[in-house]
Each structure stands twice: as structure tokens, then as C-alpha cells.
Amino acid sequence: MLSLWMTLLICFACSVILTPIVKKLAFAIGATDKPNHRKVHQKVMPRLGGLAIYISFLIGYFILRPWNEDWMYILLGSSIIVVIGILDDIYELPAKIKFLGQLIAAFIVVVIGGIQVTFINLPFGGELHFGILSIPISIIWIVGITNAINLIDGLDGLAAGVSAIALITISGMAVIMGDWFVSSIGFIILGSTLGFLLYNFHPAKIFMGDTGALFLGYMISVLALLGFKNVTFISFVVPVLILGVPISDTFFAIIRRIVKKQPLSAPDKSHLHHCLLRLGYSHRQTVLIIYGMSALFGLIAVILSQAAVWVSMVILAIVLLALELVAEKIGLVDSNYRPILKIVRVIRYANGKQN
């Protein structure tokens, strides 16, 4: 355990040292982010910061050497993701090319490496075997989480902080479960991410770019798959809750675009952080609020992993209802999309008339 903490500190230090170097490299090769109507920043910013996270991760990985039968496929898949991210940060690749790269990286760990969910134990007895569907389900999970982290990378320090909170939760639960491989990789990435966050928190000096967002999303999705596969239904929900903020933001973005009859890939300024900014919160306050939400999701995930099945079901129902109410209140789908709040208003009106 001591060597694990030492490696975490080494990764943190490497990231702190490497990030300014990567910043200079980003300007030199044109990996910059120019302001536009969708973006919050007002000046040209270097991206590519995820390269510092990735190199620090590699240094920590080869120091600690948490080998298992999956390590080669994970390193290969993550390297492909990083290459795609670097190319996108420099040249802004078409969405189809980025998606193809993500599919290849997911295919390597799922099909070749065999990292996949094959079945889950149902809450009240029995098992649900996915059979041939285990491959597409696992690939969809990896690609979905990879893009979910990328979608919330809209404010200084947001994606890095949310990823760090998710990594703390996943790694901590892996320690409890005695999973040395998952906890080791999680803490290595955590140290690398926190070192970068020193430069990325508001006001940011560098962005992580797609290099960082795709790498963190990919690695978190793979770690969750490794740590919680073939377990109970509630444990299967745990990684979903740990990543509750990016997953729910992505889910409501899909609903929003369906409601507005827009393409699913269409960019907009209605993500969670945009909505909070419109409500009057400052840049830093918005990021801290979302950090708090992420930490709350992580806490709920830990509670669910230890609670009785019926308690877990009740908590899940409350969480889903609360999510919907928050989404309606802040206009995450649309300012007029308020089905539950409208029902509540009708009930209040009916009660008022009776009284």
C-alpha cells in the first residue's frame, strides 16, 4: 500500500512538471482552442493537456507494474484513444473518425482482451446472461462513457475534477473488494489527473482537450467494467451512479435533441454547466456545484453497494426522481419540458380548489 501512495505522489509530481512543457508544445504545433459562441473562454487556449496526464500515467504504471492478463490490451486501447485525441486537438478530426477510433479501442479490450459483462445476478434471485449481447453491451458502455466525459469538458477543471471524484470512488471500492489491479490503475490516473488540475482549475492555463477527456473517459469505463462485471444488479448500477453527472448530462442531451428534432451529434449550449451559468452562478461556483453532485453520486454508490436490495431500490427511485426534477427545474431538456412539475402544479391547483 505504501508503494501505491508513493506512486500516486510520483504521478502527481510528473504531471505538475510535464503540463507546462505540454502547454508550450500545444502552442508550437497549433493544438489550441479558439473562442466561439458555444465556448466560455475569451482567448486562444492551449489544449493537449491530456498528454501530460497520459505520460504521467505511463510513468506510474511502469513503476508500480500492476500486471494482469488484461494489461496489454488496456495499454494498447488507451494509446489508440490518446493518438485520436492528439490528432483531434491539432486537426479537429471529423466525428466519424473519432468514433471509429473509439470503437477500435473498445474492440481491443472487449473482444480481444475479453473484458466484458457476460451476466448479472438479479435482485430477487436468478441470473441474466447476455450471451452474444455481452460484446455490444460492453462496447457501448466504453464508447458511451468515453463520450460522456468529453461532453462535460466545457468549463475549467470540470472534466478533470469529475473524473478525479469518479476515480476516487472506483479505486476506493476496489480496495474494499481486494482488487489490486483496478485500485492501482485508478490511483495512478488519479495522481496524474490531480497534478494537471492545478493548471486546469479556473482560471485555466491549459485545457486537457480530447486527448485528456477521451483518455479519462476510456480508462474510467474500462476500470468500471473490470471492477463490477458479473456481479449483482445493484453492483452493476454502482458504476452508473459513480458516473452519474456525465451519464445524466448525456442522457438529457439526447432527450433534448430528440425533443427539438436535432441530430444527436449537434452541439449546443444547454448542458448542465450551461444551465447553471444561466441561473447566475459564476464559473467557479458552477464547477464546485457539479463537483458536489459528483461526490454525492459517489457516496450514494458506496451506500448502495452495502445496502439491502429493497433499500437500494428505494434509493434508486429517489435518485431518479430527483434527477428528473432538477433537469426540469434548470431547463436541462427545454424550458417548457416539465412533465412532473406540471403534474405537481395540477395537483396543487386541484387541492386549492377543494379547499
Side-chain angles (χ1 to χ4, degrees):
M1 185 59 74
L2 180 61
S3 60
L4 178 59
W5 288 109
M6 287 298 296
T7 306
L8 187 152
L9 291 174
I10 290 171
C11 291
F12 177 85
C14 288
S15 190
V16 170
I17 294 168
L18 287 169
T19 301
I21 299 172
V22 171
K23 178 182 176 182
K24 292 180 181 179
L25 176 64
F27 278 121
I29 63 177
T32 56
D33 199 352
K34 298 175 180 62
N36 61 34
H37 69 283
R38 286 186 55 247
K39 296 174 181 176
V40 177
H41 62 279
Q42 303 298 318
K43 62 179 182 179
V44 176
M45 290 289 293
R47 44 194 183 188
L48 197 70
L51 183 60
I53 298 175
Y54 176 66
I55 295 174
S56 301
F57 158 73
L58 288 181
I59 292 170
Y61 195 92
F62 287 106
I63 289 174
L64 197 59
R65 291 180 293 178
W67 311 129
N68 80 350
E69 66 274 12
D70 304 314
W71 73 271
M72 187 186 303
Y73 308 108
I74 294 173
L75 285 186
L76 179 59
S78 64
S79 298
I80 291 172
I81 282 289
V82 168
V83 169
I84 291 293
I86 291 171
L87 292 174
D88 186 64
D89 285 340
I90 300 172
Y91 303 110
E92 296 190 4
L93 298 176
K96 291 180 180 179
I97 300 297
K98 289 165 60 177
F99 183 66
L100 178 61
Q102 293 166 21
L103 282 177
I104 293 172
F107 181 89
I108 287 171
V109 295
V110 172
V111 179
I112 302 177
I115 302 173
Q116 54 190 256
V117 178
T118 56
F119 72 92
I120 57 172
N121 295 306
L122 297 173
F124 302 104
E127 294 179 347
L128 175 61
H129 288 263
F130 295 122
I132 192 67
L133 292 178
S134 61
I135 291 176
I137 288 172
S138 301
I139 289 177
I140 289 169
W141 166 261
I142 292 174
V143 173
I145 298 304
T146 299
N147 283 286
I149 297 296
N150 198 24
L151 281 175
I152 65 166
D153 187 25
L155 294 180
D156 298 353
L158 184 55
V162 169
S163 297
I165 293 168
L167 286 165
I168 290 170
T169 311
I170 291 173
S171 302
M173 293 185 69
V175 169
I176 295 171
M177 296 163 63
D179 193 329
W180 166 251
F181 184 74
V182 170
S183 61
S184 297
I185 295 181
F187 280 121
I188 289 169
I189 303 172
L190 174 63
S192 305
T193 304
L194 291 177
F196 170 77
L197 190 56
L198 291 180
Y199 301 93
N200 186 235
F201 195 74
H202 186 69
K205 299 177 179 64
I206 183 172
F207 294 159
M208 69 167 61
D210 271 24
T211 307
L214 295 179
F215 170 69
L216 288 176
Y218 179 81
M219 292 303 295
I220 289 171
S221 66
V222 172
L223 288 179
L225 206 56
L226 276 171
F228 301 98
K229 65 178 182 178
N230 299 340
V231 287
T232 65
F233 174 77
I234 296 302
S235 296
F236 187 69
V237 173
V238 164
V240 178
L241 276 172
I242 291 172
L243 297 161
V245 169
I247 288 176
S248 59
D249 193 28
T250 303
F251 172 77
F252 284 112
I254 292 170
I255 299 299
R256 180 170 64 248
R257 284 155 192 169
I258 291 174
V259 169
K260 295 182 177 181
K261 298 180 181 179
Q262 296 175 336
L264 294 182
S265 59
D268 60 27
K269 291 193 71 171
S270 297
H271 288 286
L272 176 60
H273 55 277
H274 293 128
C275 292
L276 291 174
L277 287 171
R278 280 197 293 269
L279 289 174
Y281 293 104
S282 69
H283 191 126
R284 183 169 296 202
Q285 286 173 333
T286 297
V287 171
L288 291 176
I289 288 171
I290 298 176
Y291 282 2
M293 293 172 65
S294 298
L296 180 60
F297 273 116
L299 178 61
I300 293 171
V302 173
I303 292 172
L304 248 64
S305 68
Q306 305 298 320
V309 172
W310 70 270
V311 174
S312 300
M313 292 298 185
V314 171
I315 293 174
L316 277 176
I318 294 172
V319 169
L320 290 174
L321 179 60
L323 264 178
E324 175 64 22
L325 289 173
V326 169
E328 292 181 19
K329 195 71 176 177
I330 67 175
L332 196 54
V333 175
D334 186 78
S335 58
N336 296 318
Y337 178 82
R338 297 189 168 190
I340 294 181
L341 289 176
K342 286 177 181 177
I343 292 171
V344 172
R345 194 177 299 118
V346 169
I347 292 172
R348 284 181 176 176
Y349 178 75
N351 287 337
K353 287 189 70 175
Q354 289 177 0
N355 294 332

